[in-house]
PDB file of all heavy atoms in Angstrom:
ATOM      1  N   ASP A  41     -14.358  -3.250 -22.963  1.00  0.00           N
ATOM      2  CA  ASP A  41     -14.936  -1.903 -23.073  1.00  0.00           C
ATOM      3  C   ASP A  41     -15.149  -1.507 -24.530  1.00  0.00           C
ATOM      4  O   ASP A  41     -15.946  -0.605 -24.824  1.00  0.00           O
ATOM      5  CB  ASP A  41     -14.024  -0.863 -22.409  1.00  0.00           C
ATOM      6  CG  ASP A  41     -13.945  -1.008 -20.897  1.00  0.00           C
ATOM      7  OD1 ASP A  41     -14.919  -1.502 -20.294  1.00  0.00           O
ATOM      8  OD2 ASP A  41     -12.911  -0.627 -20.318  1.00  0.00           O
ATOM      9  N   LEU A  42     -14.421  -2.154 -25.423  1.00  0.00           N
ATOM     10  CA  LEU A  42     -14.536  -1.799 -26.844  1.00  0.00           C
ATOM     11  C   LEU A  42     -15.826  -2.318 -27.467  1.00  0.00           C
ATOM     12  O   LEU A  42     -16.252  -1.801 -28.510  1.00  0.00           O
ATOM     13  CB  LEU A  42     -13.332  -2.338 -27.621  1.00  0.00           C
ATOM     14  CG  LEU A  42     -11.965  -1.774 -27.229  1.00  0.00           C
ATOM     15  CD1 LEU A  42     -10.881  -2.385 -28.096  1.00  0.00           C
ATOM     16  CD2 LEU A  42     -11.940  -0.255 -27.347  1.00  0.00           C
ATOM     17  N   TRP A  43     -16.459  -3.332 -26.857  1.00  0.00           N
ATOM     18  CA  TRP A  43     -17.726  -3.817 -27.424  1.00  0.00           C
ATOM     19  C   TRP A  43     -18.783  -2.715 -27.432  1.00  0.00           C
ATOM     20  O   TRP A  43     -19.333  -2.400 -28.486  1.00  0.00           O
ATOM     21  CB  TRP A  43     -18.221  -5.054 -26.676  1.00  0.00           C
ATOM     22  CG  TRP A  43     -17.365  -6.279 -26.843  1.00  0.00           C
ATOM     23  CD1 TRP A  43     -16.617  -6.868 -25.873  1.00  0.00           C
ATOM     24  CD2 TRP A  43     -17.174  -7.070 -28.028  1.00  0.00           C
ATOM     25  NE1 TRP A  43     -15.961  -7.976 -26.376  1.00  0.00           N
ATOM     26  CE2 TRP A  43     -16.294  -8.130 -27.696  1.00  0.00           C
ATOM     27  CE3 TRP A  43     -17.660  -6.989 -29.329  1.00  0.00           C
ATOM     28  CZ2 TRP A  43     -15.892  -9.095 -28.611  1.00  0.00           C
ATOM     29  CZ3 TRP A  43     -17.261  -7.962 -30.253  1.00  0.00           C
ATOM     30  CH2 TRP A  43     -16.395  -8.987 -29.892  1.00  0.00           C
ATOM     31  N   PRO A  44     -19.092  -2.077 -26.285  1.00  0.00           N
ATOM     32  CA  PRO A  44     -20.066  -0.970 -26.339  1.00  0.00           C
ATOM     33  C   PRO A  44     -19.506   0.244 -27.063  1.00  0.00           C
ATOM     34  O   PRO A  44     -20.248   0.984 -27.716  1.00  0.00           O
ATOM     35  CB  PRO A  44     -20.363  -0.670 -24.867  1.00  0.00           C
ATOM     36  CG  PRO A  44     -19.172  -1.174 -24.124  1.00  0.00           C
ATOM     37  CD  PRO A  44     -18.703  -2.374 -24.888  1.00  0.00           C
ATOM     38  N   TYR A  45     -18.193   0.454 -26.966  1.00  0.00           N
ATOM     39  CA  TYR A  45     -17.577   1.592 -27.654  1.00  0.00           C
ATOM     40  C   TYR A  45     -17.787   1.489 -29.167  1.00  0.00           C
ATOM     41  O   TYR A  45     -18.014   2.502 -29.844  1.00  0.00           O
ATOM     42  CB  TYR A  45     -16.083   1.626 -27.322  1.00  0.00           C
ATOM     43  CG  TYR A  45     -15.300   2.727 -28.015  1.00  0.00           C
ATOM     44  CD1 TYR A  45     -15.354   4.036 -27.551  1.00  0.00           C
ATOM     45  CD2 TYR A  45     -14.492   2.447 -29.112  1.00  0.00           C
ATOM     46  CE1 TYR A  45     -14.629   5.049 -28.175  1.00  0.00           C
ATOM     47  CE2 TYR A  45     -13.761   3.445 -29.740  1.00  0.00           C
ATOM     48  CZ  TYR A  45     -13.834   4.744 -29.267  1.00  0.00           C
ATOM     49  OH  TYR A  45     -13.116   5.735 -29.898  1.00  0.00           O
ATOM     50  N   ARG A  46     -17.735   0.279 -29.690  1.00  0.00           N
ATOM     51  CA  ARG A  46     -17.923   0.067 -31.132  1.00  0.00           C
ATOM     52  C   ARG A  46     -19.394  -0.071 -31.523  1.00  0.00           C
ATOM     53  O   ARG A  46     -19.716  -0.248 -32.692  1.00  0.00           O
ATOM     54  CB  ARG A  46     -17.155  -1.184 -31.566  1.00  0.00           C
ATOM     55  CG  ARG A  46     -15.643  -1.016 -31.515  1.00  0.00           C
ATOM     56  CD  ARG A  46     -14.927  -2.351 -31.661  1.00  0.00           C
ATOM     57  NE  ARG A  46     -13.486  -2.168 -31.785  1.00  0.00           N
ATOM     58  CZ  ARG A  46     -12.585  -3.138 -31.600  1.00  0.00           C
ATOM     59  NH1 ARG A  46     -12.989  -4.363 -31.288  1.00  0.00           N
ATOM     60  NH2 ARG A  46     -11.294  -2.889 -31.738  1.00  0.00           N
ATOM     61  N   GLY A  47     -20.283  -0.013 -30.532  1.00  0.00           N
ATOM     62  CA  GLY A  47     -21.704  -0.119 -30.820  1.00  0.00           C
ATOM     63  C   GLY A  47     -22.201  -1.540 -30.911  1.00  0.00           C
ATOM     64  O   GLY A  47     -23.337  -1.771 -31.321  1.00  0.00           O
ATOM     65  N   LEU A  48     -21.401  -2.518 -30.510  1.00  0.00           N
ATOM     66  CA  LEU A  48     -21.806  -3.918 -30.588  1.00  0.00           C
ATOM     67  C   LEU A  48     -22.641  -4.328 -29.382  1.00  0.00           C
ATOM     68  O   LEU A  48     -23.314  -5.351 -29.411  1.00  0.00           O
ATOM     69  CB  LEU A  48     -20.574  -4.813 -30.720  1.00  0.00           C
ATOM     70  CG  LEU A  48     -19.786  -4.570 -32.019  1.00  0.00           C
ATOM     71  CD1 LEU A  48     -18.460  -5.305 -31.983  1.00  0.00           C
ATOM     72  CD2 LEU A  48     -20.594  -5.013 -33.236  1.00  0.00           C
ATOM     73  N   ASN A  49     -22.576  -3.562 -28.290  1.00  0.00           N
ATOM     74  CA  ASN A  49     -23.495  -3.691 -27.162  1.00  0.00           C
ATOM     75  C   ASN A  49     -24.295  -2.405 -27.070  1.00  0.00           C
ATOM     76  O   ASN A  49     -23.738  -1.314 -27.226  1.00  0.00           O
ATOM     77  CB  ASN A  49     -22.742  -3.907 -25.846  1.00  0.00           C
ATOM     78  CG  ASN A  49     -22.059  -5.252 -25.776  1.00  0.00           C
ATOM     79  OD1 ASN A  49     -22.191  -6.082 -26.664  1.00  0.00           O
ATOM     80  ND2 ASN A  49     -21.299  -5.470 -24.709  1.00  0.00           N
ATOM     81  N   ASP A  50     -25.575  -2.507 -26.825  1.00  0.00           N
ATOM     82  CA  ASP A  50     -26.415  -1.318 -26.763  1.00  0.00           C
ATOM     83  C   ASP A  50     -26.039  -0.432 -25.578  1.00  0.00           C
ATOM     84  O   ASP A  50     -25.773  -0.924 -24.474  1.00  0.00           O
ATOM     85  CB  ASP A  50     -27.891  -1.707 -26.650  1.00  0.00           C
ATOM     86  CG  ASP A  50     -28.431  -2.323 -27.935  1.00  0.00           C
ATOM     87  OD1 ASP A  50     -27.844  -2.046 -29.000  1.00  0.00           O
ATOM     88  OD2 ASP A  50     -29.418  -3.078 -27.864  1.00  0.00           O
ATOM     89  N   VAL A  51     -26.020   0.862 -25.819  1.00  0.00           N
ATOM     90  CA  VAL A  51     -25.827   1.848 -24.761  1.00  0.00           C
ATOM     91  C   VAL A  51     -27.105   2.683 -24.722  1.00  0.00           C
ATOM     92  O   VAL A  51     -27.336   3.539 -25.572  1.00  0.00           O
ATOM     93  CB  VAL A  51     -24.603   2.743 -25.033  1.00  0.00           C
ATOM     94  CG1 VAL A  51     -24.434   3.777 -23.912  1.00  0.00           C
ATOM     95  CG2 VAL A  51     -23.338   1.894 -25.158  1.00  0.00           C
ATOM     96  N   THR A  52     -27.946   2.432 -23.737  1.00  0.00           N
ATOM     97  CA  THR A  52     -29.241   3.102 -23.659  1.00  0.00           C
ATOM     98  C   THR A  52     -29.217   4.322 -22.750  1.00  0.00           C
ATOM     99  O   THR A  52     -30.153   5.114 -22.746  1.00  0.00           O
ATOM    100  CB  THR A  52     -30.312   2.122 -23.157  1.00  0.00           C
ATOM    101  OG1 THR A  52     -29.907   1.599 -21.884  1.00  0.00           O
ATOM    102  CG2 THR A  52     -30.476   0.959 -24.138  1.00  0.00           C
TER     103      THR A  52
END
Side-chain angles (χ1 to χ4, degrees):
D41 292 332
L42 297 181
W43 293 112
Y45 178 78
R46 291 168 173 163
L48 296 170
N49 291 356
D50 290 336
V51 180
T52 57

